[in-house]
Amino acid sequence: MCDKELENEIVSIIKDILSEKGKKINIDKDYLNKSIYEDGLGLDSMSTAVLSVKLEEKFGFDPYSEGEFPRTINELIGFYKKVKK
Amino acid sequence: MILHYLSLLEDNHVLVKDYKMSYYKKDIIINLSEFLSYLPKKLDKIYVLLKNSYELIIAIFAANYIGADVCVLNYNYTKEEINKIIEELGEGFFITDKDKSELIKQSEKITIEYGNFFNKKLGYSIIDLNKKDSNLIIMTTGTTGSPKAVMYNWDRLVNQVKKNTDKNLSWLLVYPLNHFAGIQVLLYSLVNQGTINIPRSNSFLDLYDSINNGVNAISATPTFWRMLIGYFKKMDITNLNIRRITLGGEIVHQDLIDNIKKVFPNSSIVHVYATTELGSCFSVKDEKEGFPISYLQRKVGNVELKIIDGELYLKTDKHMLKYLNSNIKLSIVNDWIATGDLVEVRGDRVYFLGRKNEVINVGGIKVFPAKVEKEILEVDGVKNVRVHAKKNPIMGNVVCADLEIEENIDMNKVINDIKNKCAHKLNKYEQPVVLRVVGRIDRLNEKIIRRS
């Protein structure tokens, strides 16, 4: 999976979770570096729990279970890139 | 006492029927006397491990005759499980159709008798039906932990059986006789002069054959009923005449009662509150889920009910004598027993929420699996569901649902329907994060296995 595919997968998972809460990602030039939580894109704790499950389903493991707490989509991409290497 | 009720039957009363033949009272007495001729006159404890339910009934009668305690074992137990039970409960006379070598560790202390006692028919014998005070030992299903041995006094059990004015009920034996609910069907039929129908197997076709052959009453778990109703929906069953249906062992939801009623409109549907440890405590006959709040204000068949901190407490004398292989005791405080069942009062009704130890803690919020299961089961195409916890690094746990879905149906549509229903009916903590379609949800004695 190349970096762009990885980004698309992660964005798509977050979009789905937010859309179930009736929220949309505002795709501006800086959204990859915005906080994914309530101070940014809008994931609350329950949605973050869902994110961890969906990431585990997609990639076989998730950063939260590994003790990490990525703040942005870019940090999430970074986590999977790092593990891939 | 069991034998007393046996003696009250007419000679030509059919107490047991299987797919091959009917067993009249007189056959039963003959088989019993023959069986007794193989047994030592005095025994303290008999272990029974038999596949054939009729032979098992005879063995139970025989144990009562001798005054021996009888431990009815699950036929599917492994050698290891059987040996563990014998180690815990102590030596006894063993009656089985299985080969000794595949069964029990070599031990001088255990006498083993095996072979078919029922090949030959001897003459009619009059048996002295003396009252003896012996006990039933039965294992819990083990859906929530490892099986525990539970002891009941036979006379007390028989005395608790409700005398019914509706005679001639012909019961389908769905539960095995090593199960408390199976024993209840046996005792109910004996006391109320009914008939027990032993199906050839528990496959739907064999069950159908049995039902079609005179069954008019069925006692089974909600899990079993959902499967049977699903199967019968596709068939012409106008010839089946079920007039009495009993549900127990798991929480009963309204949609199941309604669905059964659609398939068997002439039946009366009763759900019973019974557990292996507490006995058969009370029943609900108004064909609604939960039970009327009036049950909290008066005695219900000698049982009193109250709610403390959302948990159902009972004052009853119907419970077991004791556990035999566990130091755990029933928690009885001032005669009140904590059932471990959580309930909620809504309007004039009390509803079951689930077992106290099954509650899923999602970020500090209590989620009751039964509530989630109820919503999912109402979605078209869902045959069965098990809701359970999945560990989660953020919320501690999240809710997961394993699904059995009907064949030849659009799986994605069912999943979407479930998601939509849950989004409308459940809060965000209760909504399953994972929906997993599985071939078959594990069950024991037609109850969903809860332990994880």
Side-chain angles (χ1 to χ4, degrees):
Chain A
M1 194 180 282
C2 73
D3 291 0
K4 193 65 195 168
E5 281 172 332
L6 191 60
E7 178 186 320
N8 288 345
E9 288 288 356
I10 292 171
V11 169
S12 149
I13 289 172
I14 294 177
K15 265 186 179 171
D16 284 350
I17 296 170
L18 287 171
S19 82
E20 284 187 13
K21 287 165 62 76
K23 290 183 185 169
K24 266 172 81 175
I25 294 188
N26 189 10
I27 311 261
D28 54 25
K29 62 179 174 64
D30 206 27
Y31 82 101
L32 294 178
N33 285 319
K34 269 192 183 161
S35 164
I36 54 176
Y37 307 109
E38 285 185 296
D39 55 341
L41 300 180
L43 295 181
D44 62 9
S45 55
M46 189 61 216
S47 307
T48 310
V50 176
L51 175 65
S52 72
V53 172
K54 300 292 172 197
L55 289 171
E56 187 204 346
E57 279 177 357
K58 188 74 207 173
F59 301 110
F61 54 96
D62 75 276
Y64 304 96
S65 298
E66 310 284 325
E68 302 224 3
F69 201 87
R71 275 188 56 256
T72 64
I73 294 178
N74 264 341
E75 284 184 20
L76 274 169
I77 297 168
F79 168 81
Y80 282 103
K81 272 167 68 179
K82 190 174 69 189
V83 176
K84 210 167 59 177
K85 282 170 192 167
Chain B
M1 192 64 104
I2 286 188
L3 299 175
H4 167 70
Y5 280 105
L6 180 64
S7 74
L8 292 182
L9 300 177
E10 299 285 335
D11 270 2
N12 61 356
H13 179 88
V14 177
L15 181 65
V16 185
K17 248 167 96 173
D18 64 17
Y19 62 98
K20 284 184 301 201
M21 62 185 287
S22 299
Y23 300 93
Y24 295 87
K25 176 205 174 176
K26 54 188 181 197
D27 301 323
I28 291 170
I29 299 284
I30 293 166
N31 290 153
L32 176 57
S33 61
E34 185 193 356
F35 191 100
L36 284 166
S37 71
Y38 285 87
L39 294 186
K41 292 262 178 312
K42 196 173 173 330
L43 284 171
D44 289 331
K45 192 188 289 147
I46 297 175
Y47 288 100
V48 187
L49 184 74
L50 290 167
K51 188 171 188 178
N52 182 311
S53 294
Y54 175 66
E55 294 182 4
L56 226 153
I57 291 169
I58 296 293
I60 288 173
F61 288 164
N64 269 272
Y65 181 83
I66 300 174
D69 293 347
V70 57
C71 178
V72 187
L73 295 167
N74 182 334
Y75 198 72
N76 296 321
Y77 277 157
T78 62
K79 184 175 176 174
E80 287 69 33
E81 286 169 320
I82 288 170
N83 282 300
K84 186 166 178 275
I85 290 168
I86 293 172
E87 217 167 86
E88 288 169 349
L89 305 189
E91 61 193 72
F93 193 84
F94 215 94
I95 298 168
T96 181
D97 54 6
K98 285 191 179 181
D99 193 289
K100 172 183 170 179
S101 59
E102 69 176 79
L103 202 62
I104 300 174
K105 281 187 286 193
Q106 289 298 325
S107 164
E108 291 301 315
K109 288 182 180 169
I110 297 159
T111 317
I112 301 165
E113 292 287 322
Y114 55 97
N116 191 343
F117 295 98
F118 301 94
N119 283 339
K120 296 168 287 173
K121 285 241 173 354
L122 300 181
Y124 191 97
S125 312
I126 305 296
I127 296 175
D128 171 23
L129 303 172
N130 283 332
K131 182 180 173 294
K132 303 259 181 15
D133 200 30
S134 63
N135 299 307
L136 164 71
I137 302 165
I138 205 155
M139 312 301 287
T140 58
T141 315
T143 41
T144 54
S146 59
K148 292 194 278 289
V150 163
M151 186 184 252
Y152 275 97
N153 177 272
W154 278 112
D155 288 358
R156 268 183 60 184
L157 269 182
V158 174
N159 277 328
Q160 287 164 12
V161 174
K162 210 163 181 186
K163 313 284 184 297
N164 201 314
T165 45
D166 188 2
K167 303 276 180 207
N168 305 318
L169 283 179
S170 196
W171 290 89
L172 181 68
L173 189 68
V174 178
Y175 296 108
L177 285 165
N178 64 283
H179 190 288
F180 185 75
I183 292 290
Q184 288 289 318
V185 172
L186 168 65
L187 297 182
Y188 191 93
S189 300
L190 193 61
V191 171
N192 289 299
Q193 304 182 2
T195 302
I196 303 152
N197 293 265
I198 303 168
R200 187 181 192 136
S201 79
N202 265 17
S203 78
F204 289 120
L205 267 183
D206 284 338
L207 292 175
Y208 176 84
D209 280 349
S210 258
I211 299 170
N212 198 23
N213 194 19
V215 165
N216 56 25
I218 306 179
S219 171
T221 58
T223 298
F224 173 88
W225 273 107
R226 274 192 289 275
M227 303 301 287
L228 194 70
I229 290 298
Y231 184 79
F232 278 174
K233 260 186 202 163
K234 295 171 191 146
M235 296 170 65
D236 175 17
I237 50 150
T238 42
N239 54 320
L240 302 184
N241 178 29
I242 303 293
R243 65 172 193 257
R244 172 68 185 268
I245 283 168
T246 304
L247 295 156
E250 295 174 309
I251 295 179
V252 177
H253 298 305
Q254 192 61 45
D255 72 304
L256 179 63
I257 297 175
D258 296 343
N259 281 332
I260 295 174
K261 198 74 185 178
K262 269 183 222 154
V263 176
F264 296 114
N266 299 323
S267 63
S268 65
I269 302 170
V270 177
H271 51 105
V272 294
Y273 183 89
T275 73
T276 307
E277 288 95 337
L278 298 182
S280 186
C281 295
F282 62 92
S283 60
V284 184
K285 299 192 176 86
D286 60 7
E287 303 190 344
K288 290 186 186 139
E289 65 180 325
F291 59 87
I293 201 164
S294 61
Y295 280 23
L296 299 174
Q297 290 135 15
R298 62 176 167 87
K299 272 193 175 183
V300 187
N302 232 12
V303 176
E304 288 177 70
L305 293 79
K306 71 175 174 183
I307 302 171
I308 301 175
D309 292 336
E311 184 177 356
L312 182 66
Y313 280 68
L314 298 179
K315 199 185 223 180
T316 170
D317 59 357
K318 297 184 172 185
H319 58 80
M320 64 173 185
L321 298 175
K322 57 182 174 181
Y323 286 122
L324 291 177
N325 60 344
S326 164
N327 292 328
I328 305 167
K329 287 197 170 93
L330 282 179
S331 130
I332 306 180
V333 181
N334 296 332
D335 293 339
W336 286 93
I337 303 171
T339 62
D341 282 313
L342 298 172
V343 291
E344 178 181 65
V345 178
R346 290 202 303 272
D348 58 357
R349 205 103 186 139
V350 184
Y351 297 92
F352 288 98
L353 297 173
R355 301 283 301 160
K356 205 172 167 182
N357 57 9
E358 283 167 17
V359 172
I360 303 171
N361 189 323
V362 182
I365 307 291
K366 279 182 189 168
V367 174
F368 300 103
K371 181 179 177 192
V372 182
E373 287 173 358
K374 175 187 158 79
E375 296 302 336
I376 294 176
L377 281 167
E378 283 174 13
V379 174
D380 276 350
V382 176
K383 279 205 294 193
N384 252 320
V385 62
R386 181 177 86 105
V387 165
H388 56 98
K390 176 179 163 62
K391 284 218 175 339
N392 184 272
I394 310 291
M395 302 299 281
N397 296 287
V398 291
V399 174
C400 255
D402 292 347
L403 307 160
E404 272 178 39
I405 286 181
E406 282 174 20
E407 287 151 30
N408 308 321
I409 205 158
D410 182 353
M411 196 166 88
N412 292 329
K413 184 182 177 307
V414 177
I415 298 272
N416 275 329
D417 290 349
I418 293 172
K419 281 184 181 167
N420 286 335
K421 179 118 197 288
C422 291
H424 282 101
K425 295 280 193 170
L426 302 172
N427 71 40
K428 62 182 178 182
Y429 304 101
E430 294 168 327
Q431 292 170 34
V433 171
V434 182
L435 291 167
R436 199 171 56 143
V437 176
V438 297
R440 185 179 156 88
I441 296 168
D442 286 342
R443 55 197 92 173
L444 268 174
N445 286 335
E446 292 306 329
K447 279 164 76 174
I448 304 276
I449 297 180
R450 291 289 173 191
R451 59 174 184 249
S452 47

